[in-house]
Amino acid sequence: MTNYFQEEHYPEKLTKDLQGHFSNIITGLGEDVSREGIEKTPLRAAKAMQFLTSGYHQDPAEILKGAMFAEDYHDMVVVKDIELYSLCEHHMLPFFGKAHIAYIPNGHIVGLSKLPRVVDVFARRLQVQERLTHNILECINDTLKPTGVAVVIEAAHMCMMMRGVQKQNSVTTTSGFRGQFEKIETRNEFLKLISSDLA
């Protein structure tokens, strides 16, 4: 039997400062921060928030550059159903869903795992879905310099589901297209591929 252990490293001073802030918030809301179930919550929240915003300290372009390979391939590459989790910058509540990415190489391809990593870097910042879509699109376009890039994100927003209008079944879709994907036939091929289940 193996024991589960995940090692995390966070700056000590920042973690302590955040822990104090979360402790004050919890107390201000009327909860007893010394209660057994909440006693360690300020520290856990401090670490969680640093993880959820760790994208500020990562360079997505460098991630792509580290896995670019010269290749004479000029057809569409699609990675779909990339899970994403982010925090809405307006309420700091989660939004989550899937990203679909396609690009048409222009002399270079990139390791497929790097595209989800780029999504994670931008998602782990305070975001709005529109900017997240744009960030991913422009990073791939500027770094790989392909003949075309497409990004579609479908996400549910807890700020709409838990508060405000409280619409539990709403999904927001955003998209961006560059180069060859601005042509309707190429765009339609991409949209058809991400909406179909290929066996």
Side-chain angles (χ1 to χ4, degrees):
M1 181 178 177
T2 59
N3 293 324
Y4 171 79
F5 179 72
Q6 182 174 354
E7 190 172 1
E8 296 177 326
H9 298 282
Y10 299 107
E12 186 175 346
K13 183 181 185 307
L14 177 59
T15 301
K16 188 174 181 179
D17 288 345
L18 290 172
Q19 180 180 355
H21 294 314
F22 278 112
S23 181
N24 289 336
I25 291 170
I26 292 168
T27 301
L29 293 172
E31 184 56 83
D32 179 7
V33 79
S34 65
R35 183 165 65 79
E36 182 182 12
I38 291 184
E39 185 179 19
K40 295 181 180 178
T41 297
L43 177 59
R44 293 190 190 105
K47 291 180 177 179
M49 191 56 65
Q50 288 178 81
F51 174 78
L52 294 172
T53 58
S54 58
Y56 287 117
H57 309 293
Q58 297 174 291
D59 185 343
E62 289 303 315
I63 289 172
L64 293 177
K65 289 175 184 176
M68 285 176 60
F69 309 99
E71 189 67 42
D72 187 25
Y73 183 85
H74 302 284
D75 293 308
M76 193 183 302
V77 178
V78 180
V79 181
K80 70 175 189 174
D81 295 336
I82 302 168
E83 292 182 9
L84 70 86
Y85 305 90
S86 191
L87 291 176
C88 164
E89 67 180 35
H90 299 143
H91 303 98
M92 294 181 69
L93 288 173
F95 67 92
F96 56 92
K98 293 180 179 180
H100 314 287
I101 299 173
Y103 74 100
I104 300 173
N106 187 23
H108 288 88
I109 59 171
V110 67
L112 295 177
S113 68
K114 305 308 175 187
L115 296 176
R117 285 194 63 194
V118 168
V119 172
D120 282 347
V121 168
F122 286 119
R124 289 175 186 163
R125 302 175 181 184
L126 300 181
Q127 279 286 10
V128 293
Q129 185 174 329
E130 295 88 342
R131 185 171 64 245
L132 177 59
T133 305
H134 179 79
N135 286 158
I136 296 166
L137 180 77
E138 295 304 332
C139 178
I140 296 169
N141 195 49
D142 294 345
T143 308
L144 293 184
K145 303 192 185 311
T147 59
V149 186
V151 176
V152 169
I153 293 178
E154 304 168 282
H157 292 248
M158 298 306 287
C159 59
M160 286 182 65
M161 299 166 73
M162 293 178 67
R163 64 174 305 283
V165 295
Q166 298 180 51
K167 300 301 181 187
Q168 282 77 20
N169 297 311
S170 62
V171 174
T172 300
T173 302
T174 49
S175 62
F177 305 96
R178 295 289 182 274
Q180 292 295 317
F181 287 96
E182 295 178 87
K183 296 180 179 179
I184 191 66
E185 61 271 19
T186 310
R187 183 184 307 188
N188 284 345
E189 180 184 350
F190 165 65
L191 294 174
K192 183 177 180 181
L193 285 171
I194 66 173
S195 62
S196 65
D197 294 320
L198 300 177

